[in-house]
Amino acid sequence: MYLLRRRSFWALGFATLLAGCGAPRDPQGTSARIQGGFMKVGVAENAPWVRFVGDEPAGVEPQLVREFAQAHAARIQWVRGGESRLLPQLERGELDLVVGGVTSKTPWAAKLGPTRPYVEAAGDRHVWLAAPGENRFLLELDRFLQGRGDEARRLLQAERGA
Amino acid sequence: MKPAASLPPDRQAVFRRAERLSWLTIGYLASTITLLALVLGSSEALKTAWFDDVLSLFPPILFLVGSKIAARKPDVNYPFGYGRAVSAAYLGASVALLGVGAYLLVDSGLKLIARQHPSIGGIVLFGHVLWHGWVAVPVLLWSGLPAIFLGRAKIPLADALHDKVLLADAKMNAADWQTAGAALLGLLGVAYGLWWADAAAGALISLDILRDGVSNVRAALADLMDRRPQNLPDADDDPLPAQITDFLERQDWVDDAVVRIREQGRRFLAEALVVPSREAGLVGNIARASREACELDWRLLQLVIMPVERIPDDVQGRRPDRPERGEDAQGRRPQQARRSGAPAGAPPAGGA
């Protein structure tokens, strides 16, 4: 009994190590696709987080999204709309990411892939929403946003001043 | 009265050890519950593992609190004592186990049917962003491995104390490695991109909780319905009723005896219907027989002997020790017609 348990735990440990290379993976392969490819980003107007200059998205979050895309050599396909239209699309996997000043309290958090909160403003913690289950993509977003808290606050100041 | 004092001296040390292990279990479970709560995230497998640990808190608490309550001396309002309080609490806890297991099973099943992909991202630890799933691995190992040793240490104690609650506690602990293992496999599956692995692991763990709930409800019901005692942990019938019957029938003043035993917590209460062969010195004989019978087994708290003219018909039909009198131990009648032609269960000719 002991021996059996030890064997299976060794196997588990080995599998864990194996999984460490390249895991976590995306069931729909989002990370692999955006690397050097394109990413579909839904933007919901919500100044100062997201605003529009003509048809081009501007504001705190589109700026950060552009930096993320640059880091992954990805082209961005912006999809403009309201949260109530964009979020079901995100849930179905038709979009990769949705930004729009979404806070961690959003009722959609359970069904979608919220990032960890990256900045706090007016008592709300803000997140981005990724397609559900795309865990590698989500991890990369988390890593990107983690160091960008100060930058987000600077952009926010600039937006408010303007 | 301290719970240990009601036990014979040789069991008191066992009980104290069981008490220490119960406190240790509660402390250990408090740590695993806290850690699991921190790494829960949106993983179904981790959520069910957390529930499993919270439910595992019931048995040791029940053992410690129940022992204190059951040790209270009977008073005017509760002339039979407080032993049944533990049985009632055990039933309540078992039903809770059953309910939560069923709820979690449905929850995991719905997630699978709805094809919900679990989103498990990063967690910030000491300034680094690590994958949530990896951080959960050491927590799961901590919640699975020490529990095995705790459980194994308690099983012989439960046997020595004849304590169902302690045994349920021990079994739940010993099976914790399965819960942790399933949750680990679920997380590994998700890491590999198999989105269904998380909900599947959650379903497996909830099945385990449900199964625990069912077996505990059966044990609690048997206790409350005064089922004849069973051996822990083998669950075949305890030989004590037959032993007491033999003891009584060996007495020269006894013609016939039927013994019924029911459990009250850890102890047994026995009733005997006795057909005496002579009435002289009956009270003294009864008192002596009661005393001596209680020395047969430490679990026997009292033997109440009731002298009767003859064994009543309804009791006659249900004696496990005399199957040829009409019904076998399971209560089934033999198929062939009775030789004597008299209805089964009639008193022997000549009476008592």
Side-chain angles (χ1 to χ4, degrees):
Chain A
M1 184 57 191
Y2 263 102
L3 188 63
L4 192 67
R5 267 214 313 280
R6 235 185 284 156
R7 256 216 310 269
S8 52
F9 273 125
W10 276 121
L12 214 57
F14 188 55
T16 311
L17 236 56
L18 270 187
C21 330
R25 298 196 189 160
D26 293 325
Q28 312 285 350
T30 303
S31 279
R33 180 177 31 86
I34 69 171
Q35 190 69 33
F38 69 98
M39 64 191 246
K40 295 223 273 265
V41 181
V43 272
E45 180 151 18
N46 187 354
W49 303 99
V50 175
R51 59 180 169 80
F52 286 92
V53 176
D55 266 340
E56 270 301 294
V60 177
E61 292 186 330
Q63 178 62 23
L64 290 170
V65 170
R66 286 192 183 97
E67 285 179 32
F68 178 80
Q70 210 171 34
H72 291 266
R75 285 187 333 275
I76 306 179
Q77 216 171 29
W78 300 104
V79 178
R80 183 175 176 173
E83 260 188 42
S84 53
R85 197 157 55 81
L86 294 175
L87 293 181
Q89 283 182 316
L90 186 66
E91 193 186 357
R92 287 193 296 267
E94 292 163 19
L95 295 173
D96 297 316
L97 180 66
V98 167
V99 294
V102 184
T103 69
S104 60
K105 292 209 188 75
T106 175
W108 282 90
K111 286 203 189 163
L112 298 171
T115 63
R116 300 221 61 78
Y118 68 100
V119 75
E120 186 161 336
D124 286 322
R125 284 137 46 110
H126 285 257
V127 299
W128 290 3
L129 292 173
E134 301 299 288
N135 297 321
R136 167 149 227 99
F137 181 51
L138 193 55
L139 186 63
E140 281 172 8
L141 284 173
D142 276 329
R143 289 208 168 118
F144 171 79
L145 287 173
Q146 194 48 39
R148 296 284 191 300
D150 289 333
E151 184 177 341
R153 271 184 286 272
R154 266 188 295 110
L155 286 170
L156 204 56
Q157 290 277 58
E159 286 287 321
R160 295 221 164 99
Chain B
M1 166 158 96
K2 291 192 77 82
S6 65
L7 290 167
D10 57 335
R11 312 276 159 170
Q12 288 188 10
V14 178
F15 180 79
R16 271 192 286 273
R17 186 165 146 79
E19 264 189 328
R20 277 196 304 270
L21 282 180
S22 293
W23 279 111
L24 189 62
T25 306
I26 293 175
Y28 163 68
L29 284 173
S31 75
T32 64
I33 289 170
T34 314
L35 286 173
L36 276 172
L38 292 172
V39 297
L40 264 187
S42 46
S43 162
E44 185 72 12
L46 286 175
K47 183 172 92 175
T48 48
W50 182 80
F51 266 107
D52 191 36
D53 274 357
V54 170
L55 290 167
S56 302
L57 271 179
F58 282 153
I61 292 179
L62 208 56
F63 176 73
L64 290 170
V65 174
S67 297
K68 287 227 159 60
I69 294 180
R72 279 204 219 164
K73 291 203 158 310
D75 55 28
V76 174
N77 287 328
Y78 292 94
F80 290 103
Y82 289 81
R84 276 289 156 93
V86 186
S87 312
Y90 183 39
L91 182 63
S94 313
V95 171
L97 204 62
L98 189 67
V100 175
Y103 161 74
L104 288 173
L105 186 60
V106 169
D107 197 38
S108 309
L110 285 177
K111 288 218 164 81
L112 279 174
I113 294 174
R115 301 175 70 86
Q116 267 190 23
H117 294 208
S119 301
I120 303 178
I123 193 172
V124 183
L125 221 57
F126 311 115
H128 293 282
V129 180
L130 300 167
W131 191 51
H132 210 121
W134 298 145
V135 176
V137 169
V139 173
L140 282 172
L141 287 177
W142 172 241
S143 87
L145 294 177
I148 304 174
F149 299 107
L150 268 180
R152 286 168 156 236
K154 282 190 243 182
I155 288 181
L157 299 183
D159 203 19
L161 290 175
H162 194 80
D163 195 308
K164 287 198 181 79
V165 174
L166 192 59
L167 185 68
D169 185 19
K171 283 191 179 161
M172 280 181 80
N173 286 159
D176 260 350
W177 70 272
Q178 289 171 338
T179 304
L184 272 171
L185 284 176
L187 282 178
L188 271 183
V190 169
Y192 264 74
L194 306 169
W195 61 270
W196 46 265
D198 184 50
L204 276 177
I205 299 173
S206 16
L207 260 176
D208 197 45
I209 298 178
L210 190 63
R211 210 186 43 186
D212 273 344
V214 168
S215 75
N216 277 306
V217 165
R218 288 171 74 184
L221 279 179
D223 206 26
L224 284 173
M225 288 167 65
D226 289 337
R227 193 200 186 285
R228 73 179 152 161
Q230 287 169 300
N231 233 338
L232 300 180
D234 302 314
D236 33 283
D237 291 320
D238 201 291
L240 189 62
Q243 285 170 349
I244 299 183
T245 313
D246 282 340
F247 166 75
L248 285 175
E249 290 187 341
R250 278 201 304 272
Q251 309 292 316
D252 57 356
W253 57 275
V254 171
D255 239 3
D256 194 9
V258 175
V259 176
R260 293 189 288 196
I261 298 189
R262 53 192 168 89
E263 297 190 64
Q264 196 192 54
R266 279 180 224 116
R267 314 305 282 268
F268 292 169
L269 300 173
E271 277 175 18
L273 295 175
V274 161
V275 179
S277 57
R278 60 167 190 272
E279 287 194 18
L282 191 56
V283 176
N285 282 334
I286 287 179
R288 197 166 26 97
S290 287
R291 241 186 354 257
E292 286 174 9
C294 287
E295 284 159 23
L296 286 178
D297 193 314
W298 73 272
R299 296 168 299 175
L300 190 56
L301 200 54
Q302 67 179 72
L303 171 61
V304 173
I305 298 183
M306 167 82 158
V308 289
E309 288 178 337
R310 62 177 186 85
I311 305 286
D313 288 343
D314 58 343
V315 176
Q316 188 77 292
R318 276 167 198 59
R319 342 171 33 149
D321 56 318
R322 303 278 180 91
E324 71 270 15
R325 292 227 178 188
E327 292 179 357
D328 63 16
Q330 271 73 44
R332 291 190 293 265
R333 291 182 180 278
Q335 296 296 11
Q336 61 269 48
R338 307 201 50 74
R339 262 178 277 126
S340 65

